[in-house]
Amino acid sequence: MSALRNLVVLDAPSNLGLRPPAPGTVPGCYKLAGALREQRIVQRLNALEGGVVVPPRYDRGDWQEGDGVFNAAALAAYTRTLADRIERHVRAGELPVVLGGDCSIQLGASLALRRVGRYGLAAVDASHDFRHPGNSDRIGAAGGEEVALATGRGQDDLTDLEGLKPYLRDEDIRFFGIRDEFEDDRAELAALKIPTVTVGDIREWGADAVARATAEAFGVADLDGFWVHLDADVLDPSVMPAVDSPDSGGLLPGELTELLRPLVTSPHCAGFNVTIYDPDLDPDGTAGALLADIVVAAFARS
């Protein structure tokens, strides 16, 4: 485990950024943190206890398509509260390990780090979460929009909290694990000069080599560090079916561990979050156990 800084496990069990899986239900990813704790992730990481940032109630009210991001007021409030906790740990020289939740919790990390300085983002995700009014007419679920929101694309009540827009600069973002066939998704990122490393690229170049080069690149003088965001759907559905949008052609567990380890153990890494795994879709708990194993192995130093 990291000998340089204390790891602090913090729960952010918010599902505010996802659409309901069925009418009258709520997304089950708010149970992610509890499921990983059942796998004794805190003890296995030899981490400090960071407690829970309790989210507001999931209630889309009378929201309809075209109304912008649903749960926006609750998301804004939660982002500030989560940012307060993350900021405290980062300023204390600790490395927060945040257990989600859906991907909208990344806004809390981005806001926290924007308060501290200029930080990058290594997003390990099957999709780019870059949906915004300029490229889609289906704005609504912040869990698929958080990177766009963090770069200032979207409604001001989420993109300009505390007058700190943007929380992330385009040039400080790197994507890993986007599926090779999602060419349309990658075109906008390429035009913005945001590097995107697909699953095929990772296999061609080697996960460890890609991650080491990225961690080194994030060590430049202009940046104060970087955050690592992990969406469980980057894994292939054959090993991680318990996500809201499983897409074939994903990474295998060993590949993901090799990719994560140089990133999360880098001295420039400011923190880490894991999102989207849904225990409701994993009745025997095997996918959750695998996810916990991957996170623990990533933080292990050889």
Side-chain angles (χ1 to χ4, degrees):
M1 304 305 163
S2 174
L4 302 177
R5 288 171 290 172
N6 287 325
L7 304 183
V8 182
V9 173
L10 174 66
D11 293 6
S14 171
N15 60 0
L16 294 170
L18 291 185
R19 296 177 186 271
T25 66
V26 299
C29 62
Y30 72 93
K31 302 177 183 179
L32 180 156
L36 295 195
R37 283 178 176 271
E38 279 196 351
Q39 297 296 324
R40 302 184 67 254
I41 194 168
V42 180
Q43 296 88 339
R44 292 166 66 190
L45 288 171
N46 193 27
L48 301 176
E49 176 57 68
V52 183
V53 182
V54 178
R57 179 182 179 182
Y58 186 100
D59 183 1
R60 300 198 305 168
D62 57 0
W63 179 89
Q64 296 180 356
E65 295 287 348
D67 288 346
V69 176
F70 56 73
N71 292 326
L75 279 162
Y78 192 67
T79 294
R80 291 190 189 94
T81 304
L82 180 57
D84 290 344
R85 296 280 287 276
I86 292 174
E87 179 187 6
R88 184 191 316 162
H89 293 302
V90 171
R91 289 192 183 279
E94 299 166 331
L95 196 154
V97 175
V98 184
L99 309 179
D102 71 68
C103 294
S104 67
I105 68 165
Q106 171 56 37
L107 284 172
S110 296
L111 178 60
L113 296 178
R114 176 67 176 84
R115 293 171 179 173
V116 176
R118 177 180 171 185
Y119 286 79
L121 173 68
V124 183
D125 197 329
S127 58
H128 60 0
D129 290 356
F130 208 72
R131 186 173 58 239
H132 60 83
N135 64 19
S136 176
D137 59 1
R138 284 203 81 229
I139 299 303
E145 301 159 11
E146 84 282 351
V147 180
L149 290 166
T151 60
R153 296 170 170 88
Q155 58 202 66
D156 284 346
D157 57 350
L158 291 173
T159 63
D160 197 24
L161 296 172
E162 303 171 11
L164 293 176
K165 176 181 181 177
Y167 318 134
L168 292 170
R169 302 188 191 190
D170 293 352
E171 62 265 32
D172 297 339
I173 299 169
R174 307 286 185 273
F175 286 101
F176 303 90
I178 290 180
R179 301 300 194 257
D180 291 81
E181 64 269 23
F182 293 173
E183 294 183 11
D184 291 343
D185 290 345
R186 294 172 7 228
E188 181 182 10
L189 302 178
L192 295 169
K193 296 181 170 53
I194 299 177
T196 303
V197 182
T198 69
V199 172
D201 294 333
I202 291 169
R203 287 176 178 157
E204 179 180 354
W205 302 334
D208 180 77
V210 166
R212 289 184 185 278
T214 301
E216 183 176 345
F218 273 135
V220 299
D222 290 343
L223 287 176
D224 296 296
F226 67 96
W227 185 271
V228 179
H229 164 75
L230 171 62
D231 183 328
D233 72 11
V234 77
L235 286 163
D236 192 81
S238 63
V239 294
M240 178 52 69
V243 296
D244 63 318
S245 298
D247 291 303
S248 61
L251 294 175
L252 297 176
E255 295 170 326
L256 179 55
T257 301
E258 285 189 16
L259 180 67
L260 288 175
R261 183 176 291 126
L263 296 173
V264 301
T265 59
S266 165
H268 306 296
C269 178
F272 167 83
N273 66 255
V274 55
T275 60
I276 291 298
Y277 163 67
D278 185 343
D280 286 347
L281 305 176
D282 183 31
D284 64 3
T286 54
L290 173 66
L291 186 59
D293 289 346
I294 290 170
V295 173
V296 170
F299 278 97
R301 292 182 179 272
S302 56

